Amino acid sequence: MTLEFKRHLPIISDKKLGRNQRCHCGSGKKYKHCCLSKDESERPTEQKELVGKIVKWMYDQKFVVDLMENILNNIFHDRMFEKEAINALIEALIFEGLHKNKRMIDHFILKANLTENEKAVYRRWRDESVFSFFEVLEVKYGKSIKFRDLANNQEYFVYERSGTYQIDPGDIIAQRLLPRDDTWMIAGGLGMVMSDKEHGNIFKKEFSRVIGNMSEHMFVEAHYSRR
């Protein structure tokens, strides 16, 4: 099992494309019955390969698989594991998990067969990636998203196409952002809309104490344990 990825979509308009609207491909079918699954299955090639490489390495390590099974059993008990939880957990372990006093991503950089350029990218992800709760400030459908980190009010500009059709300004999302050149990209393992604009102020008030103090691992366990 691998992380979910979203793919670049052709720019269709400045209007949000709903699941029940006609698909952008011109088939006449509803989007959810046509290209939605395919559109969400890929990211740009270079991003997909870099994220996919570290995910595959993680799944090839027995100690990682054993750790994941223990965590998932503690979360779900007798319930069936949810695919979204597995995706989110593997991302959390990549960036936050420790083994022999080293982060998982450090073991990967040290042991995997990587080029020097790839090592530089992963080191930058390790040092600069940000997990937080983000408010959507601006959406340019098919183009980009501007987020505001609720922990410190820092703004992030993200080039994203397919993801722009699933959110609106005012939404609040728990996710990890990765640096890419002079902008940012969505990591893809966890991208959970916590509230829409109507409930955004309530969320910010009730969760203000944990914003900035909750790790991705803590969030995954807390969220899926109570479902």
Side-chain angles (χ1 to χ4, degrees), residues 24 31 39 51 69 72 75 97 119 141 154 167 188 194-195 200:
H24 57 76
Y31 184 41
D39 287 343
V51 178
E69 287 181 353
L72 290 167
I75 293 174
K119 289 180 181 179
Y141 296 112
Q154 183 171 339
I167 59 175
M194 300 296 296
S195 64

Side-chain angles (χ1 to χ4, degrees), residues 12-226:
I12 56 173
S13 70
D14 283 336
K15 183 178 180 180
K16 184 177 181 179
L17 181 64
R19 294 170 59 87
N20 291 312
Q21 290 181 281
R22 288 176 182 261
C23 187
H24 57 76
C25 72
S27 67
K29 297 179 182 179
K30 289 184 178 180
Y31 184 41
K32 65 182 179 182
H33 295 313
C34 194
C35 291
L36 176 60
S37 295
K38 183 177 72 173
D39 287 343
E40 292 184 342
S41 67
E42 300 179 5
R43 267 195 172 275
T45 302
E46 74 278 9
Q47 297 178 24
K48 182 177 181 180
E49 289 179 351
L50 286 172
V51 178
K53 183 175 288 191
I54 190 170
V55 171
K56 182 181 184 303
W57 184 88
M58 291 282 285
Y59 279 115
D60 287 342
Q61 312 308 308
K62 186 178 184 302
F63 73 90
V64 174
V65 175
D66 290 344
L67 176 60
M68 287 186 63
E69 287 181 353
N70 288 335
I71 295 172
L72 290 167
N73 280 322
N74 288 333
I75 293 174
F76 289 99
H77 301 291
D78 296 328
R79 294 179 292 146
M80 183 176 296
F81 297 167
E82 296 180 30
K83 183 178 180 180
E84 291 80 5
I86 297 171
N87 291 335
L89 179 59
I90 194 71
E91 180 181 288
L93 289 177
I94 287 170
F95 292 98
E96 299 172 356
L98 293 176
H99 178 65
K100 296 182 178 178
N101 297 319
K102 283 187 179 181
R103 281 192 284 178
M104 299 292 189
I105 192 170
D106 286 316
H107 285 286
F108 168 72
I109 293 170
L110 181 64
K111 298 176 182 179
N113 184 21
L114 303 173
T115 67
E116 289 304 314
N117 285 340
E118 288 173 334
K119 289 180 181 179
V121 171
Y122 288 119
R123 289 190 187 105
R124 190 175 177 208
W125 286 6
R126 176 197 64 194
D127 298 337
E128 300 179 29
S129 71
V130 179
F131 170 75
S132 192
F133 299 92
F134 296 88
E135 182 176 13
V136 179
L137 297 181
E138 179 180 87
V139 179
K140 293 185 178 179
Y141 296 112
K143 299 179 182 179
S144 61
I145 309 168
K146 183 185 287 186
F147 293 107
R148 180 173 68 88
D149 188 339
L150 295 180
N152 55 24
N153 291 321
Q154 183 171 339
E155 295 183 3
Y156 295 85
F157 183 83
V158 176
Y159 279 114
E160 175 70 24
R161 291 192 178 183
S162 61
T164 63
Y165 298 105
Q166 310 304 321
I167 59 175
D168 287 306
D171 286 348
I172 295 174
I173 303 176
Q175 65 183 355
R176 181 175 294 275
L177 297 182
L178 303 176
R180 184 189 182 204
D181 300 324
D182 59 347
T183 59
W184 296 82
M185 73 184 209
I186 297 170
L190 175 69
M192 191 174 299
V193 179
M194 300 296 296
S195 64
D196 54 29
K197 189 173 182 179
E198 180 180 355
H199 302 100
N201 290 332
I202 297 175
F203 173 88
K204 284 183 281 188
K205 181 178 179 180
E206 292 185 351
F207 287 83
S208 59
R209 291 175 297 177
V210 300
I211 292 173
N213 297 309
M214 179 175 280
S215 69
E216 185 172 11
H217 191 165
M218 290 169 58
F219 173 77
V220 171
E221 289 203 28
H223 176 76
Y224 286 99
S225 294
R226 69 169 185 262

